[in-house]
Amino acid sequence: MTGYDTADVLVVGSGIAGCAAALAAAREGADVLVVTKATRPEDASTDWAQGGISTTRGDPESLKADVLAASDGTADEDAIDVLLEDADDAVEDVLLETLEVEFDEAGDDFDYTREAGHSVRRILHVDATTGTHILRPFLEYLDDHERVEIRQDTAALELLTHEGRVHGVVTDEKADGNPVYAGATVLATGGVGVLYPRSTNPDDATGDGIAMAALAGAEVADLEYVQFHPTAFDGDDPFLLSEALRGEGAVLRNGDGERFMPDYHPDADLAPRDVVARAVAREREGTDEVVLDVSTLEDEFEADYPAIAEKCRDRGIDGDEIPVAPCEHFLCGGIDVDDRGRTSLDRLYAVGECARTGVHGANRLASTSLLEGLVWGLRAGADAVGNGNDGEVIEAPDLRNSDPELPERFAAEKFVRLQRTMDEYLGLERDLEDVARAGAVLRRLKGEVDAYTRTRTSRSLYELRHACVTALLIARSAAENPESRGCHYVVDEGANQAEPETPADD
Ligand SMILES: Cc1cc2nc3c(=O)[nH]c(=O)nc-3n(C[C@H](O)[C@H](O)[C@H](O)COP(=O)(O)OP(=O)(O)OC[C@H]3O[C@@H](n4cnc5c(N)ncnc54)[C@H](O)[C@@H]3O)c2cc1C
């Protein structure tokens, strides 16, 4: 072995969940190393979060009812109780007092906003760039912390495991791999957007943490629940049009200029995300035309959503009607964890979007992901310190880095096949025969990738392999679940079809 690094707590990922875990562990006196494969630590989904972060606003029971309703009754009530118990203290302690995030205010109070599925205004935000205003100060704070080191452009490739215990990871920091040994390892690697051709996620979202954990034998759960956002910009390089826009009065219209959501759900444009996404897809059939009409907003579009307005202008949209289509947005399932973020493997934790806490069930309520990442990150980071660091160094695999050019081309080609398969067979609506077909295609693809990687290694090949493994796990979960619930909509099930429920009444 050429050399290695050590840490009391190793955190993989620099989004809100990884930052929260690092903060909590450092506060307990641990030496923390955060590695992120991004070249700038702020390049994470967290930075792109728009609408905001939910609070209970003094009424946890009503937030619990909304989380449960959005999940179609499938969320785990004990997990929601954990979220609600810690939510307001975590926001107060970390975001308001430690990081001094200046959320938008109205008069003497915060300017709480509302998004689909929320029965009241309870979401803190900074216009529609909330994630940036949370993550940047978080990273700055950790950067200045004497017990925390943040290492960018460093990808975790494999977990180091021995007899069911995780001892750290191998990173690609050196050409032949660089092991980092840690008392506890916290995976905070985010989502899986890159598995689909259209996603709101950054390019790093290749499902690495889920695949690494599963390959090491950790339990995963609820992976069939891939959430598609109803209102992504319809065009190349899609971006999100926050649900807060509909929360503040924007409405969806079809190719005939008619509102259609009242035909699908009593809450119309503010129905749960999965219902709206399927309705948008249905209305686009044959015309490819659905727009988000922002002329009905109670806010000023340009003044109150400057970042979104600018992106629209960049794409040549200067009127009130923005073309939208559903696109992959969030994974509700992930690495199975308990109320402290502990996985089924000793000394391995998972937090944030790569974890499955049970809070989201089959469909996530808007603005609860940042909150879940914050709460579970803090819990896991504090718990992880208790493992100590026994300094045990186990054998790390040798990585055979080769000329990067060939693997790049191979990975790019295979990624296209992977994305096409996921889009065709594991999208917004699923047919169980297609799901089985997807499993077969993905198994073949993984076989080709495994054969290729026997003699070559590079970050992009690892990402491809992780994406294949995660895609296969999604296909397996979908195949094992014939019931339509939330984001997993089985067209041949017969029940729960997203037909219009009531005739239009507006
Ligand atoms: C456009 C957009 C808008 C959103 N708006 C909201 C909102 O308003 N409210 C809300 O609650 N949620 C929102 N979400 C969802 C929410 O932002 C994410 O679910 C959440 O930020 C995930 O946080 P995380 O810390 O788990 O992961 P991320 O923030 O995605 O961070 C993952 C980190 O892991 C790193 N990483 C990945 N693999 C590796 C590896 N192998 N080695 C090293 N590092 C690795 C990445 O580089 C990155 O640093 C939005 C998401 C998007 C994409």
Side-chain angles (χ1 to χ4, degrees):
M1 215 178 300
T2 49
Y4 56 85
D5 283 315
T6 60
D8 295 333
V9 176
L10 168 67
V11 178
V12 184
S14 62
I16 191 167
C19 285
L23 175 69
R27 279 176 169 176
E28 297 286 326
D31 285 325
V32 182
L33 174 62
V34 180
V35 296
T36 172
K37 67 178 176 179
T39 37
R40 303 180 320 152
E42 64 270 29
D43 288 337
S45 285
T46 300
D47 199 63
W48 295 13
Q50 296 181 348
I53 182 163
S54 186
T55 63
T56 72
R57 215 177 164 187
D59 186 358
E61 284 311 311
S62 114
L63 178 54
K64 181 172 182 174
D66 289 349
V67 171
L68 271 170
S71 77
D72 199 7
T74 58
D76 177 338
E77 292 202 37
D78 291 340
I80 305 174
D81 288 340
V82 168
L83 183 81
L84 300 179
E85 198 183 308
D86 288 9
D88 294 351
D89 285 348
V91 169
E92 177 84 29
D93 164 20
V94 178
L95 304 189
L96 298 176
E97 287 174 9
T98 306
L99 306 180
E100 299 177 1
V101 179
E102 292 182 357
F103 291 110
D104 284 3
E105 294 177 349
D108 294 339
D109 202 354
F110 290 114
D111 174 35
Y112 292 99
T113 188
R114 190 179 165 200
E115 294 191 57
H118 285 269
S119 53
V120 296
R121 290 176 172 273
R122 54 163 86 93
I123 298 167
L124 292 172
H125 68 105
V126 184
D127 55 63
T129 54
T130 311
T132 301
H133 286 88
I134 292 174
L135 190 60
R136 308 275 170 116
F138 217 153
L139 288 164
E140 266 172 43
Y141 184 86
L142 293 175
D143 215 25
D144 288 343
H145 200 296
E146 58 180 1
R147 294 205 168 274
V148 181
E149 182 191 345
I150 301 175
R151 211 173 278 177
Q152 57 221 41
D153 197 15
T154 303
L157 305 177
E158 287 187 30
L159 292 179
L160 288 162
T161 46
H162 183 59
E163 295 180 348
R165 174 182 284 185
V166 173
H167 294 264
V169 302
V170 184
T171 73
D172 66 351
E173 210 185 352
K174 294 182 191 142
D176 56 350
N178 188 46
V180 180
Y181 295 98
T185 303
V186 183
L187 295 173
T189 52
V192 300
V194 178
L195 272 54
Y196 289 84
R198 278 173 49 83
S199 165
T200 59
N201 295 185
D203 290 345
D204 276 349
T206 46
D208 296 356
I210 295 168
M212 286 190 285
L215 289 170
E219 305 275 340
V220 294
D222 288 353
L223 289 173
E224 68 272 40
Y225 301 125
V226 180
Q227 184 173 72
F228 289 77
H229 200 288
T231 57
F233 179 74
D234 180 22
D236 292 339
D237 196 13
F239 62 90
L240 188 70
L241 292 144
S242 169
E243 221 158 23
L245 289 162
R246 276 176 284 130
E248 299 295 341
V251 294
L252 288 157
R253 296 189 189 279
N254 62 20
D256 296 325
E258 291 162 356
R259 285 191 66 190
F260 54 88
M261 276 316 302
D263 300 353
Y264 286 84
H265 196 278
D267 292 336
D269 297 87
L270 293 181
R273 216 169 248 186
D274 60 310
V275 176
V276 185
R278 284 193 296 273
V280 170
R282 212 158 263 208
E283 294 291 325
R284 282 172 51 86
E285 274 169 22
T287 64
D288 274 356
E289 276 179 38
V290 164
V291 294
L292 185 67
D293 178 358
V294 294
S295 69
T296 48
L297 267 177
E298 285 163 25
D299 294 339
E300 289 289 325
F301 182 55
E302 292 279 341
D304 293 320
Y305 305 91
I308 298 179
E310 189 184 333
K311 283 185 175 159
C312 289
R313 272 195 309 277
D314 289 349
R315 309 293 203 288
I317 309 290
D318 54 9
D320 291 328
E321 299 198 331
I322 307 163
V324 292
C327 107
E328 193 284 343
H329 183 58
F330 180 83
L331 183 64
C332 302
I335 307 160
D336 206 17
V337 296
D338 68 5
D339 61 356
R340 286 182 264 169
R342 292 179 299 189
T343 70
S344 59
L345 295 182
D346 189 20
R347 302 191 181 205
L348 182 68
Y349 294 75
V351 290
E353 194 170 333
C354 70
R356 182 268 183 199
T357 61
V359 163
H360 308 304
N363 182 50
R364 170 174 76 97
L365 177 68
S367 283
T368 54
S369 173
L370 292 176
L371 185 63
E372 183 203 41
L374 178 65
V375 165
W376 257 267
L378 292 173
R379 284 178 159 250
D383 197 82
V385 177
N387 292 294
N389 184 5
D390 55 21
E392 194 179 346
V393 171
I394 61 162
E395 193 60 32
D398 247 358
L399 303 184
R400 299 159 296 272
N401 262 298
S402 57
D403 170 9
E405 225 172 84
L406 271 178
E408 291 301 330
R409 214 176 318 135
F410 176 87
E413 277 168 22
K414 300 297 173 196
F415 251 117
V416 171
R417 200 156 113 216
L418 175 93
Q419 290 176 337
R420 205 183 306 132
T421 307
M422 297 302 282
D423 191 41
E424 267 178 42
Y425 301 139
L426 286 156
L428 200 51
E429 299 192 352
R430 288 119 186 231
D431 173 312
L432 290 178
E433 278 183 25
D434 284 346
V435 171
R437 211 164 283 142
V441 175
L442 292 167
R443 261 189 302 280
R444 270 200 306 278
L445 188 59
K446 181 170 175 296
E448 289 169 34
V449 174
D450 284 346
Y452 193 85
T453 50
R454 236 165 257 142
T455 51
R456 303 168 188 86
T457 311
S458 74
R459 184 189 294 190
S460 57
L461 285 178
Y462 264 97
E463 287 181 328
L464 175 64
R465 181 159 175 255
H466 291 153
C468 283
V469 170
T470 305
L472 259 172
L473 292 168
I474 292 173
R476 189 184 72 186
S477 294
E480 286 171 357
N481 184 359
E483 192 191 4
S484 284
R485 294 299 281 274
C487 304
H488 178 58
Y489 184 76
V490 183
V491 280
D492 39 350
E493 187 212 41
N496 299 331
Q497 300 280 325
E499 294 294 350
E501 289 184 358
T502 48
D505 59 3
D506 70 330

